[in-house]
Amino acid sequence: MAVTIKSQREIDLMRESCKLLAKVHAELEQAIEPGISTLYIDQLGEKLIRGLGCIPNFLHYNGYPASICVSVNDEVVHGIPRAERILKEGDIVSLDCGLIYKGYHSDAARTHGVGRISPEAQKLIDETRNSFFEGIKKARAGNYLYEISNAIDGYISQFGYGIVEALVGHGIGTSLHEDPQIPNYRQRRRGPKLRSGMTLAIEPMINMGQSAVEWLDDDWTVVTVDGTLSAHYENTILVTDGEPEILTLI
């Protein structure tokens, strides 16, 4: 497994890439309201990314047809934006996107409520986010990768939610997906030792019901098998000798 260690110059470029992505997410969050289409979100996101002088790294990645993955309710990830998919009061919507700045990738995801949502939906969103922060407590040089996975699992399992196992987090840098893969569920193999200078995209994907997922006929959209809601929270982080640095938060 070839895990890249970033130089100081590369870290500085990653920081800038991630800071710009955080701005895009902040703008997209402000746009979320009942009555807009998922295609509108995608078009706005691409406009924002290109307006910053960057390239949307999801667009045409392995054939994906959009710049922003927009996943609604039981859609876990990789929802394809469509003009006819209109957000309604009470929906939850996950936005996953990234950009390329001077050759360096950033990646982050957020789940938002559309208007007023149920307390159960809000709790799913909140605990998914909380599980990320539990996980990165272990993202320190000298620890092992499985400590991140086990911390996420150990936190989220108390709520009876399903942890998606078919999709995982990843390293990131000059490629969108680099080694190592980072599961959100408990591991026995400890994986690589974490070193200062690693940049990782850690992304719990949590279902209100079962962990099982399936792919729709578009070959991209991943949905929960039981039709329950799913939430997604992701940041690109930098491993240091102390506390990890969250690069995609403003």
Side-chain angles (χ1 to χ4, degrees):
M1 181 181 293
V3 180
T4 61
I5 306 299
K6 309 304 189 291
S7 67
Q8 187 57 55
R9 171 185 168 274
E10 290 178 305
I11 290 170
D12 290 342
L13 289 167
M14 289 287 293
R15 281 197 183 107
E16 185 62 22
S17 179
C18 291
K19 183 174 74 173
L20 294 172
L21 179 61
K23 291 180 179 180
V24 171
H25 266 291
E27 291 284 342
L28 291 176
E29 181 179 8
Q30 293 302 310
I32 298 298
E33 62 180 4
I36 67 170
S37 72
T38 57
L39 181 62
Y40 171 78
I41 297 170
D42 176 60
Q43 292 171 334
L44 175 60
E46 180 172 354
K47 180 180 178 182
L48 290 167
I49 290 169
R50 295 195 186 280
L52 293 168
C54 300
I55 300 167
N57 53 8
F58 285 19
L59 185 60
H60 307 312
Y61 183 78
N62 291 336
Y64 185 74
S67 298
I68 314 294
C69 294
V70 187
S71 307
V72 183
N73 293 334
D74 65 331
E75 297 171 351
V76 181
V77 286
H78 305 158
I80 297 176
R82 305 195 311 270
E84 65 273 18
R85 188 65 187 271
I86 306 299
L87 298 183
K88 305 186 304 296
E89 183 94 12
D91 285 342
I92 67 171
V93 58
S94 298
L95 308 182
D96 187 4
C97 61
L99 56 79
I100 306 170
Y101 170 79
K102 295 186 177 179
Y104 285 81
H105 291 255
S106 51
D107 190 5
R110 307 281 187 264
T111 301
H112 305 290
V114 182
R116 295 184 63 180
I117 63 174
S118 71
E120 294 80 11
Q122 188 62 57
K123 182 175 178 62
L124 175 68
I125 293 172
D126 292 343
E127 300 303 357
T128 298
R129 181 180 185 275
N130 290 342
S131 73
F132 164 87
F133 285 98
E134 287 299 312
I136 67 165
K137 289 178 181 179
K138 301 297 184 179
R140 303 172 68 108
N143 287 351
Y144 286 89
L145 187 70
Y146 82 146
E147 295 180 62
I148 299 174
S149 305
N150 292 358
I152 293 171
D153 187 315
Y155 179 81
I156 209 70
S157 293
Q158 66 182 304
F159 304 104
Y161 296 147
I163 302 171
V164 174
E165 298 186 6
L167 300 146
V168 298
H170 51 91
I172 186 170
T174 54
S175 298
L176 176 57
H177 292 105
E178 298 183 352
D179 285 336
Q181 292 191 345
I182 309 167
N184 299 301
Y185 53 95
R186 189 166 299 279
Q187 301 291 295
R188 291 187 178 181
R189 296 178 64 88
R190 64 186 187 180
K193 180 179 282 191
L194 301 177
R195 294 172 56 190
S196 180
M198 288 181 176
T199 45
L200 308 173
I202 298 173
E203 51 178 321
M205 289 158 274
I206 308 300
N207 301 339
M208 190 174 284
Q210 302 173 22
S211 62
V213 299
E214 60 187 357
W215 273 252
L216 297 184
D217 290 342
D218 63 20
D219 293 330
W220 279 106
T221 308
V222 181
V223 299
T224 59
V225 166
D226 58 9
T228 56
L229 299 179
S230 186
H232 186 194
Y233 187 82
E234 175 186 21
N235 282 303
T236 299
I237 71 160
L238 170 69
V239 176
T240 74
D241 291 322
E243 295 294 319
E245 182 179 344
I246 306 173
L247 302 178
T248 44
L249 283 181
I250 296 176

